[in-house]
Amino acid sequence: MTKHIFVTGGVVSSLGKGLTSASIGMLLERRGLSVRLQKLDPYINVDPGTMSPYQHGEVYVLDDGTETDLDLGHYERFTNSPLTRWSSWTTGLIYLRVIEKERRGDYHGKTVQVIPHVTDEIKSCIANLDAPDVDVVITEIGGTVGDIEGLPFLEAIRQYSLDVGKENCLYIHLTLVPFLKAARELKTKPTQHSVEKLRQIGIQPDLLICRTEHTISEEDKAKIALFCNVEKKAVIEEKDKDFSIYEVPLGLLENGIDQLIINKLRIDKAKTINLDDWRELLLRLRNPKHDVTIAVVGKYAKHRDAYKSIYEAIIHGGIAENAQVRVLRIDSEFLDRGDTLQDLMKADGILVPGGFGERGIEGKIRAIQIARENKIPFLGICLGMQCAAIEFGRHVLGFEDANSTEFSADTQHPVICLLDEQRGVTNVGGTLRRGAQRATLRENSIALNCYGKQEISERHRHRYEFNPEYRERYEAAGMKVVGTSPDGKLPEVIEIDGHPFFVAVQFHPEFKSQPTNPHPLFAGFIKAAVEHKT
């Protein structure tokens, strides 16, 4: 039957459970196993779709339109595991399902309680990924051990081994082993206390992955093993990677974690692992032929995780072009400062990402004007495309008040307007145009040259669109719609004639980029940046 791995975290948040889970999934896939991954998040929001990027980082979107935590981006970048709405669950979504059942009378008059009704709902979400063709399901539990809102999830995964058998479940606990400079030594007590808390809940971890800045001595490993009741070989060191997150799988492999998992879960179909392509990827990263600077101009520039997939896709484009990419993060709200403008002018490429709300819009428009007028390679994504249309309308077509109705409802030139399907929508959460949508590319376009095919499918997350009433005037002035929805009604890709690389798209190509399979638009963008510099 399907085996289950549960990944929990302790001591502090942001230890990298998502990255570790993705790396484990990758290693098991490379051993010939079929893997599925999912994230259980304790917060009460139904999904991250209504949360500020400052709160929780980017909202990652799946093909089916599910708005999820950014860790699912790690899952897709490292593995080939298909992700769906069954791959992301929150306390809010679990309770919503329980309350809907109670309203329908599904509990037949019983008192609805956390145990068993909420925990049973959690377990059903885990079990839903079981299938005859799935060897291993990896479930990451968000938050840290001890968080009050996470207790139902921990109780559910404790019960799960009773339901399916301990031989079919494995618990991995990720902890921190800090280095105290004053004492000049690593401290194992935080890990001991974290595991103690987990054991009080009823879960004995099988493997401990210890995040650390310094090498953990054999003596410290023995101490952790003794006080945490695990084998010494089950104490896995996960040292900080200064160079690239893509080193993490190799570090875990060196510690033999894949074989430990296979042995403990008694999996007899695993093959010999081959990571030659992954090592080649890291070799290309370490020995680039080119060096370029890409300016990312956004309103959430201060928070790195707000554009996590953007930054990773840029790196992937660099891998494709043998280029080291330096990312210059520019806050669009403060773009008019002289030093920032000078930095922007020196960039080899300018990227304007998505977002919502009016703050920082004028800075994005200013950055796009600089890219257009100075022939600097430009890539606009979602709101970045809309800002490109506004900038062109103002400074080329002469529509001084050209704007989006999102920012100015009474503008005389609403070059960006609300989608027809969004009119009358009142709820904020889960109402955007989301998920994979097909598009058709025009011949003799930069986009078609990048993709190498006319029919594409990309993930969307937006409420506004390029106003088709202005299309003829824009095209006559040199901004061409080179990609549309299959019916030709919705503009999806725009380009400017005579510019070496000015491409703006309504969708989010960053969500479909992998280090071993860079997205063609990002590869083309970095290639243009290299050519611009040389």
Side-chain angles (χ1 to χ4, degrees), residues 413-451:
H413 291 288
V415 298
I416 303 296
C417 61
L418 195 65
L419 282 159
D420 289 339
E421 65 196 56
Q422 293 292 316
R423 302 183 190 279
V425 172
T426 55
N427 282 352
V428 175
T431 57
L432 299 167
R433 182 185 185 223
R434 295 167 293 129
Q437 309 283 345
R438 292 185 299 115
T440 302
L441 301 178
R442 183 190 292 183
E443 291 185 4
N444 300 318
S445 63
I446 296 174
L448 180 62
N449 186 52
C450 289
Y451 279 99

Side-chain angles (χ1 to χ4, degrees), residues 38 66-67 98 106 122 189 307 388 423 449 451 472 530:
Q38 67 178 174
T66 304
E67 295 172 305
V98 170
D106 292 2
I122 295 170
K189 272 287 187 253
Y307 301 124
R423 302 183 190 279
N449 186 52
Y451 279 99
E472 287 187 8
V530 170

Side-chain angles (χ1 to χ4, degrees), residues 5-9 17 20-21 24 138-141 172-174:
I5 297 173
F6 298 104
V7 181
T8 57
K17 293 190 303 297
T20 300
S21 299
I24 291 171
I138 301 174
T139 302
E140 175 194 348
I141 312 299
I172 297 177
H173 191 52
L174 183 64

Side-chain angles (χ1 to χ4, degrees), residues 107-348:
Y107 296 116
H108 306 294
K110 294 179 181 178
T111 301
V112 180
Q113 298 174 291
V114 174
I115 303 173
H117 302 103
V118 172
T119 51
D120 281 351
E121 193 66 37
I122 295 170
K123 288 192 291 182
S124 72
C125 295
I126 297 170
N128 186 269
L129 294 184
D130 286 6
D133 62 339
V134 176
D135 298 310
V136 179
V137 173
I138 301 174
T139 302
E140 175 194 348
I141 312 299
T144 60
V145 171
D147 295 344
I148 189 169
E149 62 266 33
L151 291 176
F153 291 99
L154 295 174
E155 172 61 20
I157 66 172
R158 182 195 69 81
Q159 293 178 17
Y160 206 84
S161 67
L162 302 178
D163 296 342
V164 303
K166 183 65 179 75
E167 69 279 4
N168 296 312
C169 290
L170 184 141
Y171 298 97
I172 297 177
H173 191 52
L174 183 64
T175 73
L176 177 67
V177 180
F179 179 80
L180 296 187
K181 290 184 179 179
R184 294 189 177 181
E185 62 182 359
L186 293 170
K187 292 296 181 182
T188 64
K189 272 287 187 253
T191 293
Q192 294 177 41
H193 286 305
S194 179
V195 172
E196 180 183 8
K197 189 70 176 178
L198 196 60
R199 292 171 68 185
Q200 287 174 2
I201 296 168
I203 297 174
Q204 168 61 53
D206 299 288
L207 298 177
L208 291 178
I209 298 179
C210 301
R211 281 293 304 274
T212 177
E213 295 177 336
H214 299 267
T215 301
I216 302 175
S217 67
E218 293 301 313
E219 181 182 357
D220 282 336
K221 284 185 180 181
K223 184 193 294 186
I224 292 171
L226 176 63
F227 286 100
C228 296
N229 196 33
V230 299
E231 299 174 282
K232 183 182 174 183
K233 65 181 180 180
V235 178
I236 306 296
E237 175 188 284
E238 189 175 65
K239 200 171 178 180
D240 293 354
K241 305 300 181 186
D242 297 327
F243 177 66
S244 170
I245 62 172
Y246 300 117
E247 292 180 293
V248 173
L250 295 181
L252 293 174
L253 180 65
E254 289 171 4
N255 282 275
I257 194 170
D258 56 319
Q259 194 59 50
L260 281 170
I261 291 172
I262 287 167
N263 292 343
K264 287 182 177 292
L265 289 177
R266 302 174 188 175
I267 299 173
D268 56 9
K269 60 181 291 186
K271 301 176 181 178
T272 303
I273 197 164
N274 186 340
L275 289 179
D276 289 346
D277 62 332
W278 204 261
R279 291 189 174 90
E280 172 64 22
L281 177 155
L282 288 168
L283 188 63
R284 290 166 71 90
L285 274 174
R286 289 186 178 278
N287 301 279
K289 294 180 180 178
H290 309 285
D291 181 291
V292 293
T293 298
I294 300 298
V296 176
V297 184
K299 61 191 293 185
Y300 309 116
K302 294 178 182 177
H303 188 7
R304 184 173 178 82
D305 282 349
Y307 301 124
K308 183 64 177 175
S309 292
I310 292 282
Y311 297 140
E312 294 306 313
I314 289 173
I315 292 172
H316 304 164
I319 293 171
E321 297 302 320
N322 279 317
Q324 178 184 353
V325 183
R326 291 185 173 87
V327 174
L328 177 64
R329 293 185 285 167
I330 295 179
D331 191 326
S332 59
E333 192 173 9
F334 305 107
L335 185 60
D336 287 335
R337 295 184 310 192
D339 57 341
T340 307
L341 282 173
Q342 289 177 6
D343 289 340
L344 190 63
M345 290 290 292
K346 294 176 183 176
D348 304 306

